[in-house]
Amino acid sequence: MDTFETQIDGFVGREYKEGFVTDIDSETLPPGLNADVIAILSKKKNEPGFMLDWRMDAYERWMKMETPRWAHVNYPPINYQAISYYSAPRSQADGPKSLDEVDPKLLETYDKLGIPLEEQKMLSGVAVDAVFDSVSVATTFKKELAEAGVIFCSFSEALQKYPELVRTYLGTVVPLGDNFYAALNSAVFSDGSFVYVPKGVRCPMELSTYFRINATNTGQFERTLIVADEDSYVSYLEGCTAPMRDENQLHAAVVELVALKNSEIKYSTVQNWYPGDSEGRGGIYNFVTKRGACRGDNAKISWTQVETGSAITWKYPSVLLEGNKTVGEFYSVALTNHHQQADTGTKMVHIGKDTSSTIISKGISAGQGQNAYRGLVKVLKGADNARNYSQCDSLLMSDRCGAHTFPYLEVKNQTATIEHEATTSKIGEDQLFYCRQRGLSEEDAVSLIVNGFCKAVFKELPMEFAVEAQKLLSISLEGSVG
Amino acid sequence: MLAISDLRVEVDGKQILNGLDLEVCPGEIHAIMGPNGSGKSTLANVIAGRDGYDVKGGSIFYMGNNLLDLLPEERARQGIFLAFQYPVEIPGVANIYLLKEAINAIRSSKEEKELDAIDFLSLVRDKLKLLDMKEEFLYRSVNQGFSGGEKKRNEIFQMAMLEPTLAILDETDSGLDIDALKVVSDGVNALRAADRSIILVTHYQRLLNYIVPDYVHVLANGQVIRSGDHSLAAELEESGYSWIGGGGEGKSLGASVG
């Protein structure tokens, strides 16, 4: 058994190839959080007055809140006064420009990350909003999208151009005082993406945001708001990376989705924030609030996430099934390696009649990683004929890692049908030997077995991203089995 | 092709093979028989390179190379195939996908081009016929939810696809009813070739009525205690293993299993 363990350890030793730093002149606010900082932030962005009031309200509430302690994760207290709440490349001070005007150093950064922003080089059919530290530096395919009537821009730009749209929906799914990190985000968020798909429009391409933390000692607080009007469809993807640093950096985002009658939003995440080194030094604290509301009848929201990065992941993409016959889905692969910790899952809140939800969660723990699934299925009194199917599987790759499942059920309506299945298994020496006897290398065998384990989730990702996700998983597990 | 000499192997500190000798030439079929605990499966696993088998002495040469220096996948790529006694389930991985990965791993180790989808599929269809298997079988997860017979058939199907130089069939007959045994045996017989050797590991003589070996070896207490031609198997059927003494359990050999 000893050799098996050692082999797993060897395999887990991975390199984080996105760990480089871009040397760019940035304007960074000094560390610290107070009302002045928020006012400066709002002024820098030339925000409408309602926005500053909203931020201040959130800040007041946040001051009275306590850090949540219920998650199955451990970390020292965060000093919120030691973090800088705004950092932007100086060359981008005036917000997103056309690609010709974007600082070449930034273009180079995204090239290196495999996201070339020059449109001609891009995968056709994917529009990208690139967020660098606190600001959006470029959004591609804007013209093509505008022709379809789709608004896809940075949050800052949306506040300038479509303040009423933002005002109508902002905070309607995740209220500003929702939880500690959401309140903090509401007070200090600096940028993010905004999407509006008008009535009857099927968004002609995949939309995607790529988040990059570069500056040291800063937090990233972005806000994403996606509104799908009646009878519309949109598929949105996000990716994230950060340099390797010995300190922990905070990423506290809020994502709100609003799906109106007969619309569908598909939201996919491939999260690869720096996970820290093999000793558990450094890495991103990924404390994120993601929630969608199926606000009209027949609306559907589907979350798919592949979480391989971050020192700590704390995130529960949820769906409020408000309309009748609405559908919520959550497909998740979470991998924890070395000293990574993840406490992730979902909340499905059945409010309308004939609503249904599906939860498929695959947790993979290697090294000394700790992986917890935490999910709530709540059926309210009026939610006749609600259906939920949950499946939570855990795969253990070492004897020192942990997998934990915390399913919560609150059912107030007798007509509900709820199914829950859970399994925990250890990656088998016999499976590995079987594959190797057929000629596969150890790495390929692990990758094959793990990908098989995650298949039900990967098939929900858009094709190119499914391939990316498989690769990412193989890299994250490199050297991890024997 | 395969030369094993004075092989000594321990498992968990217990000596299982105790100076075993065996020589297999190209095109030959050798049956290894013996009571439970005699070391038959250990021999199969040691040749394939499974972890947990401590080789304490002796040697295994395969095509002139020291096999014990090679990783399991290297042995596989050089043409050694083990049909497992207990084929392993791999949820979420389609049968056809494992096969494609396996074939391409073997081909790329020989610096051959990967098979394109069309050639691969036509090869697959040919071999399916050989084992009388339906195409839907390809898209099911590896061995998951397979009956005992389907699992064994799948092993021989993989063997047909991978075209090994040396195939070791570890108790392939166990768990098969008579019809399945016949299909599997026909498949194996169709794979007999002048440059392909086969080692049949079996407890029962029954299989050898369908796949006729060139040589039969009787294993007891980790050694080959008798070798002969096909007639030795018939003799064993008469007398059972009780004459061996020690490790044997004296079960009648004619009985059918599971």
Side-chain angles (χ1 to χ4, degrees), chain A residues 196-470:
Chain A
Y196 174 78
V197 189
K199 269 185 196 173
V201 172
R202 197 180 161 88
C203 186
M205 58 184 75
E206 304 272 353
L207 303 182
S208 113
T209 299
Y210 195 91
F211 295 102
R212 173 73 177 170
I213 295 178
N214 187 63
T216 179
N217 221 13
T218 51
Q220 191 178 51
F221 305 92
E222 86 275 356
R223 185 119 195 158
T224 299
L225 174 59
I226 298 177
V227 181
D229 214 324
E230 294 178 9
D231 301 296
S232 69
Y233 170 86
V234 62
S235 168
Y236 178 93
L237 318 146
E238 63 172 355
C240 348
T241 58
M244 298 196 264
R245 299 187 197 283
D246 279 347
E247 77 207 47
N248 295 106
Q249 281 181 285
L250 179 62
H251 171 256
V254 172
V255 175
E256 293 181 278
L257 311 182
V258 180
L260 301 181
K261 204 171 126 194
N262 296 326
S263 70
E264 179 177 350
I265 301 176
K266 193 172 163 57
Y267 192 105
S268 315
T269 304
V270 176
Q271 186 263 107
N272 184 25
W273 292 119
Y274 178 51
D277 67 12
S278 55
E279 303 298 316
R281 272 186 303 257
I284 302 291
Y285 290 160
N286 188 35
F287 300 153
V288 171
T289 304
K290 290 182 166 175
R291 196 174 303 152
C294 288
R295 210 150 266 178
D297 292 354
N298 299 311
K300 177 177 175 184
I301 289 179
S302 181
W303 297 100
T304 305
Q305 59 172 20
V306 177
E307 307 277 322
T308 60
S310 297
I312 301 177
T313 296
W314 181 99
K315 140 179 201 203
Y316 315 88
S318 304
V319 185
L320 307 173
L321 299 157
E322 297 170 6
N324 296 331
K325 297 190 174 166
T326 48
V327 178
E329 294 174 338
F330 174 73
Y331 300 98
S332 169
V333 167
L335 170 96
T336 51
N337 197 354
H338 299 313
H339 293 264
Q340 281 177 277
Q341 310 173 56
D343 192 299
T344 185
T346 184
K347 281 188 272 186
M348 292 291 175
V349 184
H350 294 254
I351 303 164
K353 297 186 194 331
D354 304 311
T355 51
S356 68
S357 61
T358 304
I359 299 171
I360 309 278
S361 162
K362 305 278 181 175
I364 303 163
S365 316
Q368 296 172 56
Q370 292 293 326
N371 210 320
Y373 166 79
R374 188 182 303 277
L376 168 68
V377 176
K378 191 170 181 174
V379 178
L380 300 191
K381 222 170 170 178
D384 294 345
N385 306 318
R387 301 180 65 90
N388 165 264
Y389 173 75
S390 302
Q391 187 188 336
C392 306
D393 299 322
S394 305
L395 186 66
L396 303 174
M397 312 220 8
S398 82
D399 289 335
R400 290 163 302 150
C401 59
H404 316 271
T405 305
F406 305 101
Y408 304 90
L409 268 180
E410 286 177 35
V411 181
K412 302 263 166 56
N413 186 310
Q414 295 280 322
T415 60
T417 313
I418 312 281
E419 284 177 80
H420 180 90
E421 289 179 33
T423 65
T424 300
S425 52
K426 189 158 189 282
I427 191 162
E429 281 172 272
D430 50 349
Q431 287 177 327
L432 287 165
F433 178 64
Y434 191 74
C435 295
R436 293 175 74 189
Q437 210 302 304
R438 297 302 182 249
L440 274 66
S441 67
E442 195 169 60
E443 279 79 4
D444 289 347
V446 173
S447 170
L448 184 92
I449 295 163
V450 171
N451 278 309
F453 175 75
C454 299
K455 190 178 184 184
V457 174
F458 286 168
K459 72 178 172 52
E460 298 297 326
L461 286 172
M463 182 101 103
E464 312 82 27
F465 282 75
V467 174
E468 267 310 296
Q470 287 192 15

Side-chain angles (χ1 to χ4, degrees), chain B residues 96-162:
Chain B
I96 191 167
Y97 188 70
L98 172 65
L99 265 178
K100 201 171 124 245
E101 292 287 297
I103 284 196
N104 286 332
I106 292 169
R107 289 180 74 95
S108 73
S109 76
K110 294 178 187 154
E111 292 179 11
E112 289 171 24
K113 250 184 33 205
E114 297 198 345
L115 274 187
D116 69 34
I118 295 168
D119 291 345
F120 178 69
L121 264 178
S122 72
L123 183 67
V124 163
R125 293 205 173 109
D126 269 7
K127 305 295 182 182
L128 277 177
K129 267 186 229 141
L130 190 69
L131 274 301
D132 191 23
M133 287 159 66
K134 291 205 178 68
E135 208 166 314
E136 53 102 15
F137 188 81
L138 297 171
Y139 302 98
R140 288 164 63 183
S141 292
V142 178
N143 293 318
Q144 205 184 19
F146 286 24
S147 70
E150 283 176 324
K151 283 183 181 172
K152 295 301 175 74
R153 208 183 280 202
N154 193 30
E155 293 294 291
I156 304 306
F157 170 61
Q158 292 183 4
M159 171 181 164
M161 288 294 297
L162 299 177

Side-chain angles (χ1 to χ4, degrees), chain A residues 7-23:
Chain A
Q7 281 166 326
I8 291 181
D9 280 357
F11 197 56
V12 183
R14 65 180 276 200
E15 251 185 77
Y16 185 76
K17 69 177 165 48
E18 295 85 0
F20 63 89
V21 179
T22 307
D23 179 18

